[in-house]
Amino acid sequence: EDPESADSLANIAAALDGAGYPDRALEFHRRVAKISLGSPWQAMQAIQAFLAADRNDEARDLLLELISDPRRRRDANYLLGAYSKPLVEKTGEKARVAKALEEDPEDVLAHRMAARICLHDRDYDGALAHHEAVLAFEPENLEVLNDKLAVLNQAKRWPDALETLDRMLPLADRRQGVNGLQTPTSPQSLRQQRARLLMRLEGVEAAEASLRDTVGLRYAQVNGSDFRYGSFRSEVPSDLMRMHRGLENWGRVLELHREFPPLSTSGSNSDVLEARFRTGEADAVLRELWESVAGGDLLLNDGLRSRTTLFGSAENLRYSNEPKALLFRFHGELGTLDELRAKVDAAVAKDPEDT
């Protein structure tokens, strides 16, 4: 491991903290923050270390230095999360930001921070005023539009949030086309947000139509197996499946599975199994799950050599979508765990090397 990497320096900082050398540890935290390009969570941890040590001015100065770095444009939204109310109150930020805006009314970062300060006080109109001030001279600033969207959602101004999303989508799509995934907001994430808003405002059908059509991509099948728009295949159908699963529209999940057959080999297969389980195919689903676990030797190869190892991790299995977890969960819902325990014992007994 590179001794000068962010991970190595973070480990040194943690060791120094544990050994009782907090000031020396903060030196390494600072170094971590400055080299952690593309890893905003590491920079955030470094800033939090200064705040925990009550060195608030240094935390603020480090945060400003990082956010002002043009190379960290995609990290800025995450890092602004450290611009908390306690930091603002302990460092006199209101006065500093007000002075910065007085000196330069087009200081984008000062406007974003002023909006955050307003948001701390639930002054939604004040925050939005700062966003609009920036958008007046930078109408395509996606980061500021995203800030505005967050405020509108928090204020529950759903129609305005939808209008802002519609403004953001072509900008996000264009940026992704130029920079790949190096964007602060992906088109897929915006589509999902738009669908949730439409579901709230207009219902499920409008939400589904939005997911299908928002960016103008169309699902197309060629020769039965080749598909245009590979990203659309992996994103929009999965989004649709996820939306209907959340609504427990199990029949619609199965319809989507038939409409988009490649999903049968994706991570959405667990959704299909659950939909079948809940629409009259419980016995068939349990049989298939058992065959995939025991018949594929996963029962033994995964270390499940006794009922103790299978059922001792029940809490860990509760939210998993692995076949063994689904098997456990579905039997539990049916009240047939004893039956599953007996099958496990019988399978283990067939293995002469089992201990």
Side-chain angles (χ1 to χ4, degrees):
E1 185 177 2
D2 182 359
E4 291 298 312
S5 70
D7 287 340
S8 296
L9 295 178
N11 289 336
I12 294 172
L16 288 168
D17 268 327
Y21 297 97
D23 292 341
R24 187 84 177 98
L26 288 175
E27 295 177 19
F28 281 89
H29 282 302
R30 190 189 303 276
R31 290 172 63 186
V32 168
K34 291 188 176 183
I35 68 171
S36 59
L37 282 170
S39 301
W41 57 92
Q42 289 184 310
M44 180 76 90
Q45 289 174 344
I47 293 166
Q48 295 295 344
F50 279 92
L51 291 172
D54 205 29
R55 291 168 63 165
N56 300 297
D57 287 338
E58 290 173 83
R60 187 269 317 279
D61 293 344
L62 179 58
L63 175 62
L64 291 177
E65 179 182 346
L66 297 178
I67 294 177
S68 300
D69 185 340
R71 298 173 301 167
R72 293 181 179 270
R73 188 172 186 180
R74 66 182 291 248
D75 298 345
N77 285 341
Y78 190 96
L79 291 172
L80 275 170
Y83 198 66
S84 61
K85 188 170 185 177
L87 181 146
V88 167
E89 292 176 346
K90 292 178 180 179
T91 56
E93 271 293 280
K94 286 186 178 181
R96 188 198 67 80
V97 169
K99 183 178 180 181
L101 288 174
E102 183 179 339
E103 294 174 352
D104 181 5
E106 295 189 356
D107 185 331
V108 174
L109 181 57
H111 274 295
R112 294 185 73 188
M113 291 186 156
R116 290 268 174 163
I117 291 171
C118 290
L119 199 55
H120 292 156
D121 297 328
R122 297 187 182 278
D123 179 6
Y124 302 126
D125 289 332
L128 292 169
H130 284 289
H131 299 149
E132 293 301 334
V134 174
L135 295 171
F137 58 86
E138 289 191 13
E140 296 188 353
N141 190 313
L142 191 56
E143 289 78 15
V144 173
L145 283 166
N146 196 51
D147 289 348
K148 177 182 177 181
L149 177 63
V151 173
L152 291 170
N153 281 328
Q154 190 167 332
K156 299 182 179 180
R157 300 180 185 179
W158 313 125
D160 291 339
L162 183 60
E163 182 181 340
T164 301
L165 272 168
D166 287 340
R167 184 175 174 182
M168 294 171 69
L169 269 162
L171 301 176
D173 192 49
R174 188 191 317 158
R175 180 179 291 183
Q176 187 176 49
V178 173
N179 297 323
L181 296 178
Q182 305 302 311
T183 60
T185 50
S186 72
Q188 183 186 9
S189 173
L190 296 180
R191 280 199 298 273
Q192 292 168 349
Q193 292 185 64
R194 189 176 192 277
R196 287 194 293 271
L197 277 173
L198 278 173
M199 195 184 319
R200 181 187 296 275
L201 293 170
E202 300 178 25
V204 175
E205 291 184 3
E208 180 165 327
S210 173
L211 284 173
R212 290 176 182 271
D213 300 334
T214 294
V215 292
L217 293 178
R218 297 289 181 177
Y219 184 86
Q221 188 169 357
V222 182
N223 298 327
S225 59
D226 297 325
F227 296 87
R228 302 174 194 169
Y229 308 124
S231 62
F232 183 59
R233 183 182 72 243
S234 63
E235 293 175 3
V236 174
S238 295
D239 291 344
L240 288 168
M241 186 83 80
R242 189 179 302 113
M243 179 181 74
H244 285 288
R245 188 198 185 287
L247 295 169
E248 298 187 356
N249 290 340
W250 301 114
R252 190 72 183 107
V253 169
L254 293 176
E255 290 173 3
L256 288 166
H257 170 62
R258 290 189 288 270
E259 182 181 356
F260 302 106
L263 286 177
S264 62
T265 59
S266 75
S268 296
N269 196 42
S270 61
D271 291 340
V272 175
L273 286 169
E274 183 160 6
R276 290 176 56 206
F277 176 80
R278 301 192 185 287
T279 54
E281 294 187 55
D283 290 343
V285 168
L286 291 176
R287 184 167 55 252
E288 291 172 26
L289 285 170
W290 174 256
E291 290 172 356
S292 72
V293 173
D297 292 329
L298 292 176
L299 184 71
L300 303 180
N301 292 340
D302 281 356
L304 301 177
R305 293 188 170 273
S306 71
R307 78 157 68 146
T308 302
T309 54
L310 177 60
F311 295 101
S313 58
E315 286 300 315
N316 294 331
L317 293 176
R318 180 175 297 176
Y319 299 110
S320 171
N321 286 323
E322 297 178 33
K324 59 188 177 185
L326 293 174
L327 188 66
F328 177 90
R329 189 157 69 243
F330 292 164
H331 271 287
E333 289 187 24
L334 295 173
T336 56
L337 282 176
D338 286 342
E339 176 185 323
L340 179 57
R341 290 187 179 97
K343 293 183 73 171
V344 171
D345 287 343
V348 171
K350 290 179 181 179
D351 180 7
E353 298 181 1
D354 180 57
T355 57

